[in-house]
Each structure stands twice: as structure tokens, then as C-alpha cells.
Amino acid sequence: MKKKLKQLELFLKSSRFDRGLRIGIGITLPFAVLYFLGYFEYAPAVVVGAFLNAPGDIPGSFKRKVNAILISIGLTMVITTLILFSKPFLPLLLLVIAIITFAVSLISVYGFRASLVSFSGLLSMVIAFAIQKETAQEIFVHVALMGIGGIWYLVVSFIFQKLAPVKDQNQLLSDTLLLTGKYLKLRAKLLTRKNKRNARFKETFVLQNQINEKHETLRETLLTARKRSGRSRYEEKQLLILLSTINIFELIEAKYLDYERIDGIFGAHKEFLKASKKLNKIMGNHLIRLSEILIQNDKVPDKEILINALSKASKSITNYINTVKLPEAREGALVLKNLYDYQEQLLQEIKTIRRVMANVKEASKVSLKREDSSQFLTLQEYRLNVLVQNLSLDSTMFRHSLRLSIAILFAYSLGFVFDIQNTYWILLTIIVIMRPSYGLTKERSKDRIIGTLIGAAIAVGIVLLTQNVVVYAILAIVSLIFAFALLQQNYKSAAALITISIVFVYSFINPDAFEVIQYRVIDTVIGSTIAVVANYVLLPSWEVNNLKQVLLNALKMNKNYLLATQELYQDPSKNKLSYNVARKEAFLAISNLNAAFQRLTQDPKSKQRQFQLIYEIVTLNQTMVSAIASIGNFISNHTTTPASIEFHILMKKIANTLEMSFDSLDHTQLHKKVAEETAEDAQEKLLDKYQQLSNLRDENINQGHLELDTETLHALQEAYLIANHMAWLKSLSENLKKATEHYRASIVDDQETFY
């Protein structure tokens, strides 16, 4: 019960509920004010205007939010005007529907915010079918009032922004800490649970993508905040938390361990890994608790449990050495020591977040030049050529726009021929659930139908209990607020609440609530069926055919990240910024590849060609990013020896292998090569360096020098990590090249032959 109450508290204090309130006030207040002033006939148009322009109100840059809503207002006004004037002329109306649906849905090529503006435009087209205006004067008055409603919602959003200026950012930071905590706990499970690793790996893909999306939105919000006046103290604190969460994410990525090697090293001694695993779990739970505190404004929890867990992880290294004995224990001890160092760094970042949240005055201040910070922003390209480039059947969005246009025309024609009472409900269902990918459309369709049935059942129960219009009005408002609050978090519940709200709103127009419920359910099922069937048969866009560009970008960014790490090794102070930017780009690229793989898993089994091969490619790319991050993290946090010639030779070999994979997939000619025997020789020399240091340490032990000084320990750690990770990267790049060539031969070449 206590847990449920805490979840309710977090929800009511969240920016999601805040957004539901904004929309609720934006819709209900004009109704109430115009009713009491005696101008109720103007209320529906104002309310529609407010409702239509709410989607663009999402977290991010305030300037971009305002621009999105203003563009949405203009777009919805124009579309409504066109539909209302075309309604009396069926051929013209069908043409206008087709043009609007195609053109407006194609706006989504400009990114997520643009897709919400596009949704507002499509929604205005559907709602226009429910509006009965005959004369030009009535139409223009209605459209003008819609514009006023849109401006009114913008004012409401602005007021909420001023009243709680940091709520969206806090929610995003809270969500990021929550996801990062879950990710850290999931990675802990990979350490010892050998039989469940494949399933866990697939779970990591989802979390990585979600975390990267949060990081991108937070960068946009915090790095562009108050450029002219400078950041406030609170924004400084938020940026510190963001930077620490990004560092934690990189550290987690950097320890994407060679689990097969670890299994071989520890064998029957897996119990010595349990302390490290438990520490990860405790730190993950601590991050989750911190995410809750950001919303609840509670006290920061005690850190003793973290310190004790770290101490136990340190003792497990000594226990392992005492049990297995040197020199046999050296390799395992170095693995545990590297793992401990990484966890110690994680704990330092968590402590930074704790200090910031506890308002410790000594918490370090962010020093980031404006020109440097701009390099971490992923700017959306809004030029016309982006749209032009997508005017091709090769474009997923172009196919989606055509498919949606045909589905909408078919649904409207179906309603016209069979004289369906509320055809626009069918159109609304199609617009809400239809997505570029079949899997997501099918999933949303299922949630929509189930949610509608649940909402209808609840509405029937309420109607049977009471016929009180006051109760209906209250339920309509409350359910609408909660529906919008849950829309992104739980679509099924949101669909149920929207159904309840619509049923009771329509009860004021049609006293027979059961008839309203019946039509709502039937129209939802019809619309969902059309959307799913259209996605399957009309210019289907199967993810297996869309992976090429995503994979090419991942290969390119992996190579750039590898070379940036090489430069970091040469001069850490000079090349730190370029390394961080390359790291961010590589993480985003692998996140996009993971997201594409997730969409692939949602496609029908018959359309998942070469599934295991694609999974191998995704996993190899992911592992490469993590192996590179591991080297970069070690260089960033330790004083290292100068990079050897052998290191540079292997780096060049790995980079060229990645380039060969890219060129093979892109059908371009490779000009540079590194002789295999040269690379093999360099690999042996790196391993020999570690072996020499290891032998020297054995001699010291034999002579009675048991104490290990820090300099020797770091030298051993560096030699071991560099030698093994470079060999690992070389092997990964070669396997990736083979897998990529197989992918090109079995999928890409067949696809190009087909076209």
C-alpha cells in the first residue's frame, strides 16, 4: 500500500500530471467563462483551438516550444478552413483530404516536435468533419475563434512555465536517473547470469535508447537555457546532475565486459564477482531513489550502504588473491581491480549528484564555454532539401504518408457509402494509432481497442448507477486531465480515460449514452483494423529493409570514436573535448541502431529476414562502442604511459577494418590497408609488454617484495587493459566485417535487385 501511495505521489507531482492540468484548464476554463458571460455558442471553437494546439507543448527549449505552437495554430486554422469549404463538394473534398494528409504527415521528417505539429494538423482535419458551418462568415468566425483558443493555450502554457520553470527539467532528470539506475542493475545481472545474457542484452538495447533520448532533450533544454543572461544557480545544479548522469552512462557502457573471457577466468570462483554485482545493484537502487527525491523534494538518503558495499568489493579482490594465489590469480585480480576502479568512479559521480541535491555549497561549478557546449547539441535541420530528399519510395516517411492518405480516403469513403454516423471517429482512430512501422501500429491498435473497451465498460457502469449530468461533467473533465497525463506513460489507460471523457461529453448532445458507447467501440475497432491492414499491405516498410543507413552511420561513428580515443591517448588535455563529442555521436548512433532492432522485433516473424545475423551485427557494434569507451575511460582517469607504435598500428588496422565494412555496405572502393602480419605482430608485442611486467612482478614476489606500489599496479592495469581490449577490438571489427558482408549479400543486394 505504501508503495502505491508513493507512486501516486510521484505521479501527482510529475510534469506529466502538470501537462494534463494545463490541457484541462485550457479546455474547461473557456467553457465556464463564456457560459457565464452568455457567449456559450463561441466556446466549442475556442476549446477546439486550445485542444488542437496542445500536442506541441513538450519539454525542451522554450523558444522552440512557442514556435511549434504558433506554427500549429496557423496550420490548424488553414486546414479547418479548407475542409469546411470543401465539404459540400465530394470530389473536391476527397482531393483536399488526400493532399492535406500526405503533405502534413510528411512534415514529420523534421523530427519529433515537427511530428506533433503534424499530428495537430491531421487532428484538425478530422475534427473539421464534426463541425457544421454553412456560410463563409460562420466558417471564418469559427476559424478565428480556433486561433484565439490556440493563443489562449499558449498563454496557459506560459503561465505554468513561469509558475514552475524547472518542473519539466526536473522530470526529465528524474526519468534519466530512474532509467540509469535500472540500466546499472541490469548490467550487474550480466556479470554472473550466463544463461540469461541474450535476453538481458535485448533489454539493454531498449534502456540505452530511452536514456539517450532523455540526454538529448536535456542537452537542448539546459545547454541553450538563458544564453544571454547566463544560467541561474538552479540551472547550474541541473546541468551538474545531467553531466554526472552522462558520465555514469559512459562508465556503464565502458564496462561492457568480455563476459566469455570472464567466465573462463573465474570458472568455479564466480562467488568473488558477487560483491561487485551487489555494489552495482545498490548503486542502481540509490539512483532510483534519487530520481524520486527530485520530484518529492525529500532528504537525500544515507550513503553508508554505498560505502560499505564498495568496501566489500575491495575486500573481494584480496580474498580472491588469497584463495587462488599469485601468479594464477593475477589476471582475475586485474579484472576485479579494473571493475572496482570503474565502480569507484561511478560512486564519485553519484556522490556529486547527492551533493548537488543536498544543496552543498562546495558542489563544483560547471565550466563549459558556449562554443564548446554547442557542439553537444544535435540540431534539427529545417531546410527544404530535407523534405525534397524524402520524396522517394526509399523514404520510410514518404511511404507512411502515402499509406496514411490511402487509409484515410478509404475510411471516409466507407463512412460515406454506408452512412456511418460518426465517420470522423474512425478517421481519428487511424490518425492516432497509425505509425510508420507495422509493429508499433499493431501494438497501439491493440492498446487502443483494449483501452476503449475498458473505458466503455466503466462508462456503462457509471450510466447504470446514475444519470446525473453534473457527475458526467466532473468525470469528463477529470478523466480528460488524467488521460493526457498518462498519454506517453500508459497509452492503454489513456485510451480508456479518453473514451470515458468522450462518452460523457457526447451525453450532453445525445442523451442516449449507451448509443454513444456502442458507436465509440465499433468505430474504434473499424479504425484500428484499417490502420493495421494498411500498414501490412500498402507499401509496407519492413525494418529489415531500412537498416542500411542506420548501420552505415553506426559504423562511421564507431570509427570516429575509435580515432578520437587514439588522439586522447596521445594528449588527453588537448583532445578531451573532441573525444567527448565523438563519444556522444557514437552513443547516439548505437542508440538509433538499437531502436531500429527493436522495431524489427515487432515486425511479423515472416518479415524478420536474417534476424540472428542482424542481432549479431547490433551486438558487435554495441560491444565495440563499449570496448572503445573502456579504453577512453581508463585514459581519462589514469596517468598513462605514452602510446606505443604497436597501439597505433592496431588502431589503424581496426579503423581500416571498420572502413572496409562501411565501404562494403555502401558499395564504394577501399584504398587503404594494413598488412595482417604487421597487425598480428603489433598485437603480440602489446601482449608481450603485459607479460614482461607480469614476469617482473613475479620476480619481485619471489624476492620477498610482496607490497605492490601504485605505479606498478597502474602500469599492470594499463598494459593488461590496452593489450586485451585492442585484441578484442581487432577481433570484433573482423567479425563485424564478415557479418556486414553477409548482411549486404543476403539482404541489401537482394533489395536493390528487387527495386
Side-chain angles (χ1 to χ4, degrees):
M1 185 64 182
K2 189 177 179 181
K3 186 178 179 181
K4 293 289 183 184
L5 287 173
K6 184 174 77 172
Q7 288 176 342
L8 179 62
E9 180 192 358
L10 289 170
F11 174 70
L12 293 176
K13 288 183 176 180
S14 70
S15 67
R16 299 183 188 93
F17 185 70
D18 190 64
R19 186 166 183 261
L21 279 176
R22 287 202 298 269
I23 297 172
I25 291 171
I27 290 173
T28 56
L29 202 57
F31 256 122
V33 171
L34 291 171
Y35 174 78
F36 285 114
L37 291 176
Y39 297 104
F40 186 71
E41 67 272 19
Y42 299 134
V46 176
V47 167
V48 165
F51 172 73
L52 285 175
N53 296 289
D57 184 13
I58 59 169
S61 162
F62 184 70
K63 179 182 176 182
R64 292 181 185 179
K65 183 192 295 187
V66 171
N67 289 340
I69 294 175
L70 289 174
I71 292 169
S72 174
I73 291 169
L75 186 65
T76 54
M77 290 172 70
V78 170
I79 290 171
T80 302
T81 304
L82 290 173
I83 293 296
L84 291 178
F85 274 112
S86 303
K87 277 169 76 173
F89 314 102
L90 183 61
L92 177 62
L93 179 61
L94 293 174
L95 179 63
V96 169
I97 291 171
I99 293 171
I100 289 174
T101 306
F102 177 78
V104 173
S105 60
L106 201 58
I107 294 173
S108 298
V109 299
Y110 290 113
F112 181 61
R113 199 183 299 274
S115 71
L116 294 174
V117 173
S118 169
F119 177 71
S120 291
L122 294 170
L123 199 58
S124 69
M125 179 185 74
V126 172
I127 290 177
F129 289 111
I131 298 166
Q132 302 301 323
K133 302 294 177 186
E134 303 296 333
T135 66
Q137 183 180 354
E138 288 178 330
I139 292 172
F140 286 129
V141 168
H142 177 85
V143 170
L145 289 169
M146 278 178 54
I148 292 170
I151 297 297
W152 156 247
Y153 180 79
L154 185 58
V155 171
V156 171
S157 178
F158 179 77
I159 292 170
F160 268 78
Q161 178 83 18
K162 288 298 179 183
L163 291 174
V166 297
K167 197 155 194 173
D168 280 345
Q169 292 95 308
N170 272 348
Q171 185 66 59
L172 283 166
L173 285 169
S174 174
D175 291 345
T176 306
L177 287 171
L178 173 66
L179 291 169
T180 306
K182 287 181 177 179
Y183 188 35
L184 187 55
K185 289 171 68 178
L186 183 61
R187 292 296 286 268
K189 292 175 183 176
L190 291 170
L191 201 56
T192 56
R193 294 192 181 180
K194 183 178 179 181
N195 58 330
K196 294 185 178 180
R197 275 182 191 152
N198 275 345
R200 302 294 186 202
F201 281 142
K202 291 173 184 176
E203 289 179 50
T204 65
F205 295 161
V206 178
L207 283 171
Q208 286 164 349
N209 189 49
Q210 290 173 339
I211 292 169
N212 270 309
E213 285 177 353
K214 299 295 182 187
H215 285 170
E216 281 295 274
T217 308
L218 280 165
R219 284 189 188 102
E220 179 194 318
T221 306
L222 297 178
L223 294 182
T224 59
R226 302 191 182 182
K227 280 188 175 180
R228 293 180 182 176
S229 58
R231 287 189 296 269
S232 68
R233 173 61 181 158
Y234 200 89
E235 287 166 337
E236 195 79 23
K237 288 168 64 177
Q238 288 180 323
L239 189 55
L240 272 168
I241 294 173
L242 170 62
L243 293 177
S244 287
T245 58
I246 290 173
N247 288 340
I248 288 171
F249 184 58
E250 187 206 5
L251 285 166
I252 299 172
E253 290 294 274
K255 283 303 166 189
Y256 198 96
L257 302 166
D258 189 344
Y259 293 105
E260 289 184 7
R261 187 177 184 84
I262 287 176
D263 291 339
I265 292 171
F266 288 91
H269 298 290
K270 284 283 182 72
E271 69 271 12
F272 293 104
L273 293 168
K274 287 182 179 179
S276 295
K277 178 182 175 180
K278 188 173 181 181
L279 175 56
N280 263 22
K281 185 179 178 181
I282 289 171
M283 288 191 293
N285 284 329
H286 201 81
L287 286 171
I288 291 170
R289 181 62 193 133
L290 291 176
S291 77
E292 295 169 351
I293 289 169
L294 262 178
I295 305 299
Q296 294 173 314
N297 292 320
D298 283 350
K299 290 183 179 179
V300 174
D302 190 77
K303 62 182 178 183
E304 279 305 308
I305 188 172
L306 292 168
I307 295 169
N308 291 338
L310 184 70
S311 176
K312 288 178 181 177
S314 177
K315 288 176 183 175
S316 71
I317 303 173
T318 306
N319 292 339
Y320 175 77
I321 294 171
N322 292 337
T323 303
V324 180
K325 308 297 182 186
L326 291 169
E328 288 80 8
R330 179 168 294 116
E331 191 172 5
L334 286 172
V335 168
L336 289 173
K337 176 59 178 169
N338 283 333
L339 194 55
Y340 174 82
D341 286 351
Y342 136 78
Q343 291 179 313
E344 194 174 32
Q345 292 166 42
L346 275 176
L347 189 54
Q348 288 304 316
E349 296 296 342
I350 293 171
K351 285 180 178 178
T352 299
I353 296 172
R354 285 173 50 86
R355 285 197 298 272
V356 172
M357 290 176 63
N359 291 310
V360 175
K361 291 182 180 178
E362 295 78 30
S364 55
K365 189 172 181 178
V366 180
S367 177
L368 195 61
K369 295 178 182 177
R370 189 174 299 170
E371 58 270 24
D372 290 348
S373 66
S374 63
Q375 295 185 53
F376 292 95
L377 296 174
T378 305
L379 300 177
Q380 177 62 53
E381 179 64 73
Y382 289 108
R383 289 190 298 182
L384 182 63
N385 68 328
V386 175
L387 199 63
V388 173
Q389 287 169 6
N390 279 274
L391 295 176
S392 162
L393 282 174
D394 291 335
S395 166
T396 302
M397 283 311 304
F398 183 84
R399 287 170 169 245
H400 170 66
S401 300
L402 276 179
R403 192 184 307 124
L404 183 61
S405 302
I406 295 168
I408 291 292
L409 283 174
F410 174 78
Y412 184 80
S413 301
L414 187 73
F416 181 81
V417 170
F418 291 99
D419 196 23
I420 297 174
Q421 186 175 359
N422 294 321
T423 304
Y424 54 88
W425 278 1
I426 300 174
L427 303 181
L428 180 62
T429 301
I430 294 171
I431 283 170
V432 168
I433 70 170
M434 199 163 182
R435 292 293 179 267
S437 72
Y438 170 83
L440 187 54
T441 299
K442 184 180 176 182
E443 183 182 344
R444 286 176 71 88
S445 177
K446 182 180 68 175
D447 288 344
R448 178 82 173 186
I449 291 172
I450 294 171
T452 300
L453 290 172
I454 292 170
I458 294 171
V460 166
I462 294 168
V463 169
L464 289 173
L465 288 172
T466 180
Q467 281 78 44
N468 191 317
V469 292
V470 176
V471 173
Y472 290 176
I474 293 171
L475 286 172
I477 294 167
V478 172
S479 59
L480 190 69
I481 290 171
F482 277 88
F484 282 110
L486 288 168
L487 201 57
Q488 299 295 327
Q489 195 175 7
N490 191 325
Y491 183 68
K492 192 184 296 179
S493 298
L497 289 163
I498 288 171
T499 298
I500 294 169
S501 182
I502 288 174
V503 166
F504 290 131
V505 167
Y506 268 84
S507 293
F508 292 102
I509 303 167
N510 182 358
D512 188 353
F514 289 109
E515 185 181 349
V516 176
I517 293 167
Q518 174 189 331
Y519 283 125
R520 173 71 179 170
V521 172
I522 293 171
D523 292 341
T524 297
V525 172
I526 293 172
S528 299
T529 303
I530 291 172
V532 173
V533 172
N535 259 73
Y536 193 88
V537 301
L538 295 175
L539 299 169
S541 185
W542 307 120
E543 201 58 41
V544 70
N545 299 323
N546 301 326
L547 275 169
K548 180 182 172 182
Q549 288 305 318
V550 184
L551 179 55
L552 282 170
N553 189 52
L555 289 167
K556 179 182 176 182
M557 294 308 163
N558 274 2
K559 180 190 169 188
N560 291 346
Y561 188 25
L562 182 80
L563 296 177
T565 306
Q566 183 181 12
E567 291 173 358
L568 183 73
Y569 205 172
Q570 291 176 290
D571 191 341
S573 58
K574 181 181 176 182
N575 298 311
K576 183 65 176 174
L577 178 63
S578 58
Y579 168 81
N580 286 341
V581 173
R583 176 189 67 185
K584 174 228 171 189
E585 295 295 340
F587 282 8
L588 282 178
I590 200 65
S591 174
N592 290 334
L593 184 59
N594 290 343
F597 177 75
Q598 286 305 307
R599 292 193 295 271
L600 174 68
T601 62
Q602 295 173 332
D603 282 346
K605 294 288 184 184
S606 60
K607 306 299 179 183
Q608 296 177 12
R609 295 169 56 201
Q610 296 289 347
F611 180 85
Q612 286 303 322
L613 174 64
I614 293 169
Y615 174 63
E616 181 187 355
I617 290 172
V618 173
T619 305
L620 285 168
N621 272 284
Q622 171 66 66
T623 310
M624 281 210 73
V625 167
S626 297
I628 297 167
S630 185
I631 295 173
N633 177 64
F634 187 88
I635 295 167
S636 298
N637 292 283
H638 295 81
T639 301
T640 57
T641 59
S644 64
I645 295 172
E646 291 76 24
F647 174 82
H648 290 302
I649 290 172
L650 274 176
M651 274 287 186
K652 188 175 180 181
K653 168 65 180 174
I654 297 162
N656 282 349
T657 306
L658 286 174
E659 191 173 348
M660 289 162 77
S661 300
F662 182 98
D663 292 344
S664 170
L665 192 58
D666 201 35
H667 294 294
T668 54
Q669 189 65 39
L670 182 70
H671 299 291
K672 293 183 291 182
K673 287 186 179 179
V674 176
E676 185 63 35
E677 57 272 16
T678 307
E680 291 293 342
D681 185 51
Q683 184 176 325
E684 288 298 323
K685 285 183 178 179
L686 282 178
L687 288 169
D688 284 346
K689 183 179 180 182
Y690 163 69
Q691 197 58 52
Q692 288 169 12
L693 288 170
S694 184
N695 292 339
L696 183 60
R697 176 61 187 148
D698 288 342
E699 288 177 16
N700 289 335
I701 292 172
N702 292 333
Q703 292 170 10
H705 303 296
L706 301 179
E707 290 294 322
L708 180 62
D709 62 279
T710 304
E711 186 179 345
T712 304
L713 172 62
H714 285 175
L716 273 167
Q717 282 183 275
E718 180 184 357
Y720 179 80
L721 184 137
I722 296 298
N724 283 285
H725 274 65
M726 292 305 292
W728 190 23
L729 278 169
K730 180 174 175 289
S731 173
L732 287 169
S733 65
E734 289 166 351
N735 290 337
L736 184 56
K737 177 175 172 287
K738 292 174 186 174
T740 305
E741 287 173 347
H742 188 188
Y743 169 79
R744 185 208 64 204
S746 59
I747 295 176
V748 178
D749 288 350
D750 288 350
Q751 184 183 348
E752 290 173 354
T753 302
F754 175 77
Y755 284 114

